[in-house]
Amino acid sequence: MANTDDTIAKLIQQLKLGAVLVKHKRNGKTYRRQFFLHEREGYITYEKSDKLRGKPRTYHVHDIDEIRIGFETQVFDQLIKDRKVKSDDKDRGFSIIYNNHRKGVHFIAPDMETRDLWIKGLQHLMNKRRQQRQYHLIGEDNWILEFFHIADKNKSNTLSKKECRNLLAKSLNIEMPDNIFEQMFYKIHKTKSGYLNPEEFLQFFKILTRRKDLYELMQKFAKYAYQQTMENIYMDRNELLYFLRLMKNSNMQHINSLIQAQKLIDEYELNIEFRERGFLSLDGFRNMLLSKNFDITESSYSGQIYQNMTRPLCDYYINTSHNTYLFYSQVYGESNPEAYNRVLLMGCRAIELDCYDGNDGKPIVKHAFTFVKSCSLESIIRRIQPNLFKASPYPVILNIENHCSSAQQKQMAQILKTYLGDHLVTKHLSDKDPSVLPSPEDLKYKVLIRGKSTSTSTISNLMFQEELNEYSSQNSLRKDVEPELSELFVYFMNVPYEENDYTKVNYTPFHSSSLAEKTFLKYAQRDPLDLILQTTWRILRVYPDGLRQDSSNLDPINPWNFGVQMVALNYQTDDDMMALYYGKFRDNGCCGYILKPDYLIKAHKTKFNPWNSSINFDHPQILTITIISGQFLPRSTIKSKDIPDPYVRISTHGLPCDQQTQKTQVVDNNGFDPIWNETFEFRIRFPQMCLMYFSVLDYDTVSDDDRIAYFSAPVTMIQEGYRHIYLRANNNDETHSTLFVHVDIRNDGDANNNNNVNVQNITHIRF
């Protein structure tokens, strides 16, 4: 291990020394610069040229999504096409993809050794950053000093009181009374010159991050605690063991001896003297409670694929994207292969390709009759092929909307076969029952094509009429599909939606149907059981109505309540619906397939009705949640000048009887360490269908309250005891912002079977 650490240290040191890299832009311009990793290891930048105006660009490690080897980007494709770079230089090329795959910087190194050095070094820093939790950063001098150097405007390597106050307000979201600030400042700054040096600022920051809420909690368990200050309070091994035994934390059940309690102290206590005496300080207590074992969803199966993956595909919810090629709106921008890579690496398993004839004889992907620029189908398939199974081993479904001519359909089929190779399913699995869909396990590392077959049959004619509702007459799908393409629709032949009696006679499990959201709601209201019964043996897909030109999303909860497997959402829109979507597919190891509850899978026996279920098929629960405090909450936007006035909205989303919303009071001018200590109760009749959504909002008296961070997860993943919730940014990026909560879960033996809601009264929860 020491050798490995030594090797990594040498690697990072080489990046800090830097190397000459040639940066290539799409227009063919090149920039030869000495790139280097900054001393504090947070970003890479380059030496400023004499001719360079402004500041050098910085590329922060936490913004990097992917390091790509070779010339595997659109920019390099264009540069090769324009003969701006030579294909022979591919072995020296690499790209940094960042900002949620929306941007990239493209390099050619002087040699392969230098390229590999940068790839290994940056990948290590990315992995390290992703594994770090809040307490790691609080104890990391480089991270703390980043605040110091940003606030040090005159580069004096000191902070005046004014600079320090500005840092608290602008970077840490703290508005501190003058007397408290002065007291803290001079507690550290003994010389009273009015300036903090870096060492003093480190002490100042560590005092600032001592948790008042955890101090009060420790006082309930430590002897003589009320005589101890935040600086010297501690728990001994016996007190720690007593605390853990009282907590309903399944991850801590194995800690049942003083020896094991000491191991925890050794892991989380940074004070050597305390550690040797078997004491856990306030900082050590904080570190332990911020660890993975106290995450709100952390249990023995967290992060693992634990569900039965051998059932037919129709028994699973499938993570599905709509208009996957878009990064922005449906009206402008461009179709981009990186949009596909983004969703695939986030666990999406079903993506959409709207295919049209390209001018060069090869099919393109675009959003018709808009300002969205097209992209070649070939470049998309080539770019996504390496990322298909990085997030999950389970099958990827390509939903193809085919608007191509016969000749280009043949090209499409050839492209799919060439780049997908053995991953592409081209015939039925010979050893499986042909009367049922295969399972995700059967189709590991496989790609399935979903599309419409030829229209010579009654089915296809009906389907063409159905799809005129989704597309204008000018944008209709091709009626005739070439055999080379249609033979790839092995398990997903797209057909119009019909009632169950008709489909049982005329369709097989391999016939899949799509419904616009309003059409879905019409059928769900007219005959809910008929719709649910179809999801027990074949796959349905629901997509947003065509009128949603703003790329807003439908509420996925209702289709899921009816067993619809593929609810297609616009990943490019960071709204509450996508937050729920991310929460749903957080389960089962984020593999993109979630097993439906038995009462939906066996609907022919249960006669389950989501609108008005009078029978408790599930195990009703009462969740009591105390929102204690928040830590390091961000501002609503990067440009915002106001310190947040945060409050927490807690909502549950499932069957109509389980949709509830409650919220805390507002804490004024404090995004650093707001304290609420408010308790809420939620009665949940169908936990297996229910999501819990924590959204932190910034109260505004003039405009709508902005969401500043959130967390969503299935109720079945929520764990008991004292827990931290690691919040997500609005774009679902991980953050180091947290909520500290206490959760109690108990069975609800008095669940009210009459607590039913009529379909006419609720179709979605009001935010």
Side-chain angles (χ1 to χ4, degrees):
M1 186 68 179
N3 291 335
T4 303
D5 289 344
D6 187 53
T7 301
I8 290 171
K10 289 179 180 178
L11 183 68
I12 297 304
Q13 187 57 38
Q14 285 180 283
L15 293 193
K16 290 179 180 180
L17 293 173
V20 175
L21 304 174
V22 181
K23 175 181 169 184
H24 289 259
K25 302 193 78 172
R26 185 189 292 265
N27 60 11
K29 290 185 178 180
T30 60
Y31 301 88
R32 187 182 180 86
R33 299 280 185 266
Q34 176 80 12
F35 280 84
F36 62 92
L37 174 68
H38 191 268
E39 184 63 32
R40 291 187 294 278
E41 302 178 8
Y43 59 88
I44 63 170
T45 187
Y46 48 87
E47 298 286 356
K48 185 175 179 180
S49 163
D50 293 337
K51 299 179 181 179
L52 194 64
R53 293 181 179 180
K55 295 180 179 179
R57 288 288 305 273
T58 58
Y59 303 96
H60 287 268
V61 173
H62 62 73
D63 287 334
I64 299 176
D65 302 304
E66 192 182 348
I67 308 293
R68 201 165 296 164
I69 303 173
F71 286 171
E72 299 302 319
T73 62
Q74 278 187 298
V75 168
F76 274 129
D77 279 351
Q78 189 63 46
L79 292 173
I80 291 174
K81 184 178 179 181
D82 296 339
R83 298 183 179 180
K84 300 291 185 181
V85 298
K86 299 177 182 178
S87 56
D88 292 346
D89 293 332
K90 181 177 180 180
D91 289 341
R92 297 187 288 118
F94 70 101
S95 298
I96 296 174
I97 312 299
Y98 65 99
N99 191 21
N100 284 120
H101 281 81
R102 286 176 168 86
K103 293 183 179 179
V105 56
H106 313 279
F107 297 113
I108 294 182
D111 50 60
M112 285 183 64
E113 184 180 2
T114 303
R115 183 203 68 176
D116 292 345
L117 173 79
W118 277 84
I119 290 170
K120 289 176 184 177
L122 288 174
Q123 196 63 59
H124 165 75
L125 291 170
M126 288 167 61
N127 294 339
K128 178 183 174 183
R129 176 72 63 164
R130 286 168 184 164
Q131 291 167 6
Q132 282 183 321
R133 301 182 76 78
Q134 189 185 104
Y135 74 90
H136 290 121
L137 291 178
I138 292 172
E140 187 177 284
D141 289 355
N142 278 340
W143 185 76
I144 300 169
L145 290 174
E146 196 67 44
F147 291 112
F148 178 92
H149 290 288
I150 290 171
D152 180 18
K153 299 299 183 184
N154 62 2
K155 305 306 175 189
S156 64
N157 206 36
T158 61
L159 289 188
S160 67
K161 286 199 286 187
K162 182 179 179 180
E163 287 175 323
C164 197
R165 294 299 301 258
N166 286 337
L167 184 155
L168 294 179
K170 294 179 180 179
S171 297
L172 299 177
N173 292 327
I174 306 173
E175 188 172 90
M176 188 180 290
D178 291 343
N179 62 326
I180 295 178
F181 173 77
E182 292 281 337
Q183 182 182 350
M184 283 187 62
F185 192 89
Y186 287 112
K187 184 173 184 177
I188 297 300
H189 183 54
K190 304 297 185 184
T191 64
K192 297 186 184 278
S193 67
Y195 294 89
L196 295 182
N197 61 35
E199 291 74 22
E200 289 174 324
F201 179 73
L202 287 171
Q203 295 178 55
F204 182 89
F205 187 88
K206 287 173 181 177
I207 290 175
L208 201 64
T209 53
R210 287 196 177 124
R211 296 265 299 270
K212 296 185 289 290
D213 54 339
L214 299 185
Y215 174 57
E216 292 174 2
L217 181 58
M218 282 188 77
Q219 287 180 315
K220 298 176 182 178
F221 294 91
K223 295 175 187 174
Y224 313 114
Y226 291 94
Q227 302 171 20
Q228 296 173 327
T229 65
M230 294 177 72
E231 287 84 359
N232 60 30
I233 193 171
Y234 64 85
M235 283 182 179
D236 63 24
R237 287 184 291 258
N238 284 293
E239 291 158 352
L240 175 59
L241 197 58
Y242 178 62
F243 169 78
L244 294 174
R245 283 174 177 170
L246 285 182
M247 299 304 105
K248 298 177 181 178
N249 188 326
S250 59
N251 300 314
M252 293 286 107
Q253 287 180 350
H254 66 286
I255 308 295
N256 52 26
S257 70
L258 293 177
I259 293 174
Q260 290 166 324
Q262 180 63 50
K263 287 181 180 178
L264 280 181
I265 292 171
D266 292 341
E267 182 174 1
Y268 297 113
E269 180 54 59
L270 301 181
N271 184 304
I272 297 174
E273 182 182 348
F274 271 38
R275 196 163 60 228
E276 289 177 348
R277 296 174 66 186
F279 294 165
L280 189 69
S281 69
L282 178 59
D283 287 348
F285 189 56
R286 176 202 64 203
N287 295 345
M288 182 183 75
L289 289 177
L290 281 167
S291 71
K292 193 174 182 180
N293 286 326
F294 288 85
D295 191 303
I296 193 168
T297 58
E298 187 65 26
S299 65
S300 58
Y301 57 81
S302 293
Q304 299 179 15
I305 299 169
Y306 68 94
Q307 295 177 348
N308 180 0
M309 303 303 289
T310 64
R311 298 189 60 83
L313 282 173
C314 56
D315 289 351
Y316 299 84
Y317 297 113
I318 303 171
N319 192 329
T320 304
S321 167
H322 182 246
N323 288 343
T324 315
Y325 43 86
L326 298 178
F327 262 138
Y328 301 102
S329 81
Q330 299 189 44
V331 180
Y332 61 89
E334 64 178 3
S335 303
N336 196 320
E338 299 305 339
Y340 288 90
N341 281 321
R342 174 179 178 250
V343 303
L344 285 167
L345 291 172
M346 293 171 80
C348 184
R349 297 288 85 194
I351 58 181
E352 185 172 37
L353 299 148
D354 289 0
C355 298
Y356 293 81
D357 281 358
N359 294 330
D360 62 354
K362 293 185 177 181
I364 57 173
V365 172
K366 68 175 184 176
H367 203 233
F369 308 108
T370 68
F371 297 109
V372 176
K373 296 178 182 177
S374 64
C375 179
S376 77
L377 173 69
E378 184 174 11
S379 69
I380 290 172
I381 302 301
R382 180 157 60 98
R383 292 285 170 256
I384 68 174
Q385 195 277 334
N387 285 328
L388 288 171
F389 303 105
K390 282 184 179 178
S392 169
Y394 293 110
V396 172
I397 301 163
L398 306 186
N399 187 68
I400 292 179
E401 298 290 358
N402 174 26
H403 307 264
C404 292
S405 63
S406 296
Q408 296 208 19
Q409 286 181 42
K410 293 177 181 178
Q411 285 285 327
M412 189 190 308
Q414 188 57 47
I415 288 167
L416 294 171
K417 291 175 182 177
T418 299
Y419 289 102
L420 299 177
D422 292 340
H423 293 300
L424 184 64
V425 174
T426 58
K427 58 184 178 180
H428 291 92
L429 303 180
S430 58
D431 59 340
K432 298 299 174 184
D433 184 348
S435 65
V436 296
L437 283 162
S439 71
E441 194 67 27
D442 295 331
L443 295 166
K444 263 187 170 181
Y445 302 106
K446 294 296 182 182
V447 177
L448 306 167
I449 309 299
R450 183 178 187 270
K452 180 181 79 73
S453 189
T454 61
S455 64
T456 53
S457 67
T458 302
I459 285 178
S460 296
N461 285 323
L462 284 170
M463 183 183 179
F464 179 65
Q465 294 300 318
E466 172 84 5
E467 286 174 333
L468 288 179
N469 296 328
E470 182 177 1
Y471 300 93
S472 70
S473 58
Q474 294 176 305
N475 189 27
S476 59
L477 284 87
R478 289 283 171 177
K479 292 185 181 182
D480 298 311
V481 181
E482 289 299 309
E484 290 94 331
L485 182 61
S486 64
E487 69 184 9
L488 300 181
F489 309 153
V490 178
Y491 289 116
F492 284 97
M493 186 180 294
N494 204 357
V495 296
Y497 182 83
E498 297 288 345
E499 293 182 352
N500 196 46
D501 287 344
Y502 178 90
T503 61
K504 275 292 191 181
V505 174
N506 294 281
Y507 292 170
T508 74
F510 310 148
H511 287 113
S512 174
S513 298
S514 292
L515 300 92
E517 58 180 296
K518 288 180 182 175
T519 307
F520 156 75
L521 192 57
K522 178 184 72 175
Y523 285 112
Q525 291 173 334
R526 181 191 298 173
D527 194 340
L529 182 58
D530 186 272
L531 193 154
I532 291 174
L533 286 175
Q534 296 204 44
T535 69
T536 64
W537 61 279
R538 70 188 194 100
I539 286 181
L540 300 183
R541 174 179 174 268
V542 170
Y543 58 87
D545 277 321
L547 294 177
R548 292 184 181 270
Q549 291 300 311
D550 60 351
S551 293
S552 59
N553 279 310
L554 63 94
D555 186 342
I557 298 297
N558 277 337
W560 285 334
N561 287 346
F562 282 79
V564 173
Q565 298 90 345
M566 299 173 70
V567 184
L569 260 59
N570 293 299
Y571 264 72
Q572 72 270 24
T573 304
D574 298 318
D575 57 11
D576 288 311
M577 302 303 111
M578 269 314 304
L580 295 176
Y581 210 80
Y582 293 136
K584 179 77 168 180
F585 289 100
R586 186 181 303 279
D587 203 358
N588 201 28
C590 302
C591 75
Y593 286 82
I594 307 293
L595 189 63
K596 294 191 287 187
D598 273 353
Y599 45 84
L600 272 174
I601 293 173
K602 300 173 182 176
H604 58 288
K605 292 182 179 179
T606 63
K607 312 299 181 187
F608 179 69
N609 182 353
W611 298 127
N612 191 353
S613 183
S614 58
I615 301 174
N616 280 325
F617 295 109
D618 215 320
H619 302 284
Q621 295 178 341
I622 300 174
L623 274 74
T624 304
I625 298 178
T626 301
I627 306 294
I628 300 170
S629 61
Q631 296 78 39
F632 294 102
L633 302 180
R635 301 194 180 201
S636 55
T637 65
I638 295 174
K639 296 180 181 178
S640 176
K641 296 180 180 180
D642 294 330
I643 295 173
D645 303 312
Y647 67 95
V648 183
R649 184 182 65 202
I650 315 105
S651 51
T652 52
H653 304 256
L655 295 189
C657 60
D658 289 336
Q659 298 196 12
Q660 309 161 54
T661 301
Q662 302 188 58
K663 59 185 179 181
T664 68
Q665 298 297 312
V666 176
V667 174
D668 294 332
N669 291 320
N670 189 349
F672 183 71
D673 59 355
I675 291 179
W676 289 282
N677 275 324
E678 296 183 51
T679 301
F680 307 93
E681 185 175 277
F682 295 88
R683 303 180 85 98
I684 309 296
R685 287 185 57 208
F686 293 88
Q688 291 183 75
M689 297 289 287
C690 193
L691 297 172
M692 182 151 276
Y693 181 26
F694 300 85
S695 47
V696 183
L697 296 103
D698 182 9
Y699 177 72
D700 197 313
T701 56
V702 178
S703 61
D704 291 341
D705 299 344
D706 292 324
R707 186 182 70 181
I708 57 180
Y710 81 91
F711 180 82
S712 177
V715 165
T716 53
M717 289 187 73
I718 302 296
Q719 300 294 302
E720 290 189 274
Y722 285 103
R723 298 280 177 166
H724 275 93
I725 300 173
Y726 272 82
L727 299 169
R728 295 277 177 157
N730 284 330
N731 62 5
N732 197 45
D733 276 355
E734 293 180 348
T735 74
H736 294 290
S737 303
T738 49
L739 293 177
F740 185 48
V741 302
H742 183 270
V743 180
D744 181 70
I745 303 173
R746 62 188 191 276
N747 293 330
D748 186 2
D750 299 321
N752 184 1
N753 291 335
N754 296 317
N755 184 22
N756 300 318
V757 181
N758 189 282
V759 60
Q760 302 298 332
N761 297 331
I762 181 167
T763 57
H764 66 278
I765 197 162
R766 192 180 297 276
F767 285 98

